[in-house]
């Protein structure tokens, strides 16, 4: 598989100021450990969780472990910087409708079973300060139904950040860490994907094994967008990330809080909180398909799946199995950028850190040279479109039929495509010249761009069309 020359950017980390400017996504100015806001009692994500899982959800939604991104005044003013036609609609709308429009534009959702009006993706404190949380990427909707743990396939982080900057400027406010950082590091070139891996690499670069901040040399990072995995796979997977390089554990979940304000004491102090977060994520299970299933065809598909797919993706039901199989890149042949972008040295640094319990009796195993991608479990696969680690294939039919995968596509609604099972999309030859709204332009996914290839995983081509249809029906049952 051939790819264009990677888009790389030198991150000058020679001083604290450079760190703030170039890794501003998670590195604001300041000193000392951030104090997480204590969650209030009685706020849970869903009935039936264990007390630890309940506390984990509360901590994610109500405890700011980063410095705030923007305030409520900036949010209320956002509509004034939108494109003219959308701005006209917002001007005559009620405050409630404007909020709905904002959620729609940036891929935010309300919190299920919560009348507060707060978005799932941000902690909003009593002073009206908004702070990103883990649900920004791992809390979206399943075909319009808000769902914690679902990949946020509509999150428009780059557009939100750019328009927050405009809103702040019009109010006479200074830009924050996200706005400054986005000038140097792309946050995501397509709605629903983010440059999250580079965030993690940059954050670890300036820490030692005990998480103290240390000077670091300039380094090249390869920017590439990733599609967030569903959290309902977490309970099955012994290792995390698409290449499965890191053994899962509660400490690893804390990596993306590595702002300068959070020193080693922060991590020791909040270790129990992240044990609760671990319990919460471990408690999540995939939603069940809500449409009609042809049970006879699905049963036929189960047999085909067992004989052709289970070796990598496992078996399902009460006595499920998950092989955690890593497929070599020259065998899977999907886009290799994610695999090559994270260096052996970067993985080794993680392995030697507090996050991996380095030097402790519970030291974790880290695969520093994985060589391929791990086939994920397929529980709730119908609900986690788009597919592949970079989100390049919008439907399961496209996964099963490599020649039918669209080259340039965009979602046209939040409805489920029941025939192809996945996103309701349109395929085009080029982005229409009349589409000038940057948020709308970023809704198009171009598989010809670096890191966004939809090639590979050609294994289903050994099946007949009828067998593929049967497997597609079976996948609805998982």
């Amino acid at each position: 598989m051939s790819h264009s020359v990677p888009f790389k950017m030198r991150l000058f980390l020679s001083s604290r100021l450079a760190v703030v400017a170039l890794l501003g996504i998670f590195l604001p100015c300041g000193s000392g450990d951030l104090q997480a806001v204590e969650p209030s009692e009685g706020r849970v994500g869903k009935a039936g969780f264990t007390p630890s899982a309940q506390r984990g959800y509360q901590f994610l939604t109500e405890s700011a472990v980063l410095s705030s991104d923007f305030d409520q005044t900036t949010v209320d003013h956002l509509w004034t910087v939108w494109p003219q036609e959308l701005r006209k609609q917002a001007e005559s709308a009620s405050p409630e409708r404007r909020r709905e429009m904002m959620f729609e534009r940036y891929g935010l959702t309300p919190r299920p079973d919560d009348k507060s009006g707060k978005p799932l993706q941000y902690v909003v404190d009593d002073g009206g300060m908004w702070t990103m949380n883990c649900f920004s990427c791992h809390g979206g909707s399943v075909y319009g139904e808000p769902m914690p743990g679902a990949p946020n396939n509509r999150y428009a982080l780059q557009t939100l950040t750019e328009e927050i900057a405009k809103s702040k400027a019009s109010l006479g406010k200074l830009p924050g860490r996200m706005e400054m950082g986005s000038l140097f590091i792309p946050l995501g070139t397509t709605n629903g994907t983010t440059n999250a891996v580079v965030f993690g690499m940059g954050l670890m670069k300036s820490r030692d094994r005990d998480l103290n901040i240390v000077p670091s040399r300039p380094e090249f990072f390869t920017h590439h967008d990733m599609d967030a995995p569903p959290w309902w796979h977490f309970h099955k997977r012994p290792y995390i990330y698409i290449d499965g390089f890191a053994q899962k554990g509660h400490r690893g979940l804390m990596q993306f809080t590595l702002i300068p304000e959070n020193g080693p004491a922060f991590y020791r102090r909040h270790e129990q909180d992240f044990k609760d977060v671990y319990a919460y994520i471990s408690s999540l299970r995939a939603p069940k398909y809500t449409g009609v299933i042809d049970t006879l065809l699905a049963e036929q598909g189960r047999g085909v799946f067992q004989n052709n797919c289970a070796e990598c993706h496992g078996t399902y039901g009460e006595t499920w199995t998950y092989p955690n199989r890593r497929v070599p890149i020259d065998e899977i042949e999907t886009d290799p950028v994610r695999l090559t972008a994270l260096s052996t040295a970067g993985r080794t640094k993680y392995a030697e850190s507090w996050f991996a319990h380095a030097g402790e009796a519970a030291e974790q195993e880290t695969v520093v040279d994985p060589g391929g991608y791990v086939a994920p479990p397929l529980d709730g696969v119908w609900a986690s479109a788009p597919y592949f680690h970079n989100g390049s294939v919008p439907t399961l039919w496209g996964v099963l039929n490599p020649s039918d995968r669209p080259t340039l596509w965009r979602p046209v609604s939040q409805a489920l495509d029941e025939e192809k099972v996945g996103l309701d999309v349109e395929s085009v030859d080029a982005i229409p010249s009349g589409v000038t709204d940057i948020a709308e332009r970023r809704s198009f996914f171009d598989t010809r761009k670096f890191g966004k290839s939809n090639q590979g995983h050609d294994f289903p081509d050994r099946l007949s069309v009828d067998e593929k249809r049967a497997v597609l029906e079976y996948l609805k049952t998982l």
Side-chain angles (χ1 to χ4, degrees), residues 428-466:
V428 297
D429 295 327
I431 300 177
S433 59
V435 177
T436 57
D437 180 358
I438 189 62
E440 190 175 356
R441 292 185 69 84
R442 287 178 179 142
S443 69
F444 288 88
F445 195 107
D446 191 342
T447 63
R448 297 165 297 192
K449 291 187 175 181
F450 178 73
K452 292 180 174 291
S453 172
N454 64 0
Q455 300 302 298
H457 194 273
D458 296 335
F459 311 121
D461 276 344
R462 70 183 68 160
L463 306 178
S464 69
V465 173
D466 288 342

Side-chain angles (χ1 to χ4, degrees), residues 99-360:
R99 191 177 185 85
E100 291 175 357
M101 293 172 69
M102 185 196 75
F103 278 31
E104 291 166 3
R105 183 167 179 79
Y106 304 122
L108 307 181
T109 65
R111 301 175 183 180
D113 305 319
D114 187 328
K115 304 299 185 182
S116 69
K118 296 178 181 179
L120 176 65
Q121 295 78 16
Y122 284 80
V123 174
V124 183
D125 67 18
D126 292 340
M129 302 303 297
W130 289 49
T131 308
M132 180 187 299
N133 64 27
C134 297
F135 286 123
S136 292
C137 294
H138 296 281
S141 64
V142 175
Y143 306 110
E145 183 69 25
M147 185 166 297
N152 192 352
N153 58 26
R154 298 185 305 113
Y155 191 33
L157 178 58
Q158 184 75 36
T159 303
L160 172 59
T161 301
E162 291 169 354
E163 294 182 349
I164 283 289
K166 293 178 182 178
S167 180
K168 284 183 177 180
S170 66
L171 292 168
K173 297 175 181 288
L174 293 175
R177 60 190 172 87
M178 293 293 288
E179 300 91 78
M180 292 297 295
S182 67
L183 298 176
F184 300 93
I185 301 178
L187 306 183
T189 58
T190 303
N191 295 346
T193 62
T194 64
N195 194 19
V197 175
V198 169
F199 304 164
M201 290 191 289
L203 294 168
M204 281 297 295
K205 176 68 178 173
S206 59
R207 299 283 179 145
D208 65 14
R209 62 180 297 161
D210 294 319
L211 308 186
N212 297 296
I213 296 176
V214 295
S216 56
R217 297 175 298 174
E219 183 175 340
F220 285 110
F221 289 135
T222 302
H223 299 297
H224 56 289
D225 290 346
M226 287 286 293
D227 180 48
W231 269 354
W232 55 71
H233 289 168
F234 189 77
H235 76 285
K236 281 190 173 182
R237 299 194 63 172
Y239 292 78
I240 56 176
Y241 304 121
I242 186 62
D243 55 11
F245 89 90
Q247 188 175 346
K248 75 176 180 182
H250 66 278
R251 288 185 181 178
L253 302 177
M254 306 171 82
Q255 183 181 353
F256 285 85
T257 64
L258 279 170
I259 60 175
E261 286 84 350
N262 292 340
F266 169 90
Y267 294 94
R268 279 67 174 180
R269 186 170 65 251
H270 289 292
E271 191 165 8
Q272 181 57 53
D273 293 320
F274 278 87
K275 288 180 180 179
D276 291 338
V277 171
Y278 183 96
Y280 168 72
I281 300 175
S282 298
S283 72
L284 296 178
R285 296 296 182 269
K288 297 300 182 183
Y289 187 76
T290 55
V292 176
I293 297 177
D294 183 330
T295 54
L296 180 60
L297 185 61
E299 181 59 22
Q300 294 172 2
R302 184 184 69 81
V304 178
F305 182 93
Q306 292 281 87
N307 293 330
N308 294 275
C309 313
E311 180 182 353
C312 292
H313 291 289
T315 60
Y316 299 84
E318 291 186 6
T319 56
W320 58 267
T321 62
Y322 176 59
N324 191 47
R325 182 182 175 190
R326 183 180 295 105
V327 185
I329 192 63
D330 59 357
E331 182 180 342
I332 188 71
E333 294 186 317
T334 50
D335 194 299
V337 173
R338 163 62 179 82
L339 183 65
T340 57
L342 184 52
S343 67
T344 298
R347 292 188 177 93
T348 300
K349 185 162 188 176
Y350 178 89
E352 295 174 347
S353 76
W354 181 84
F355 290 131
H357 298 263
E360 302 174 17

Side-chain angles (χ1 to χ4, degrees), residues 31-59:
S31 61
D33 290 352
L34 266 183
Q35 299 295 324
V37 178
E38 292 300 323
S40 60
E41 294 297 328
R43 297 287 298 281
V44 300
K46 207 169 188 179
F49 286 156
T50 65
S52 181
Q54 290 178 7
R55 292 193 301 269
Y57 178 83
Q58 291 169 357
F59 187 77

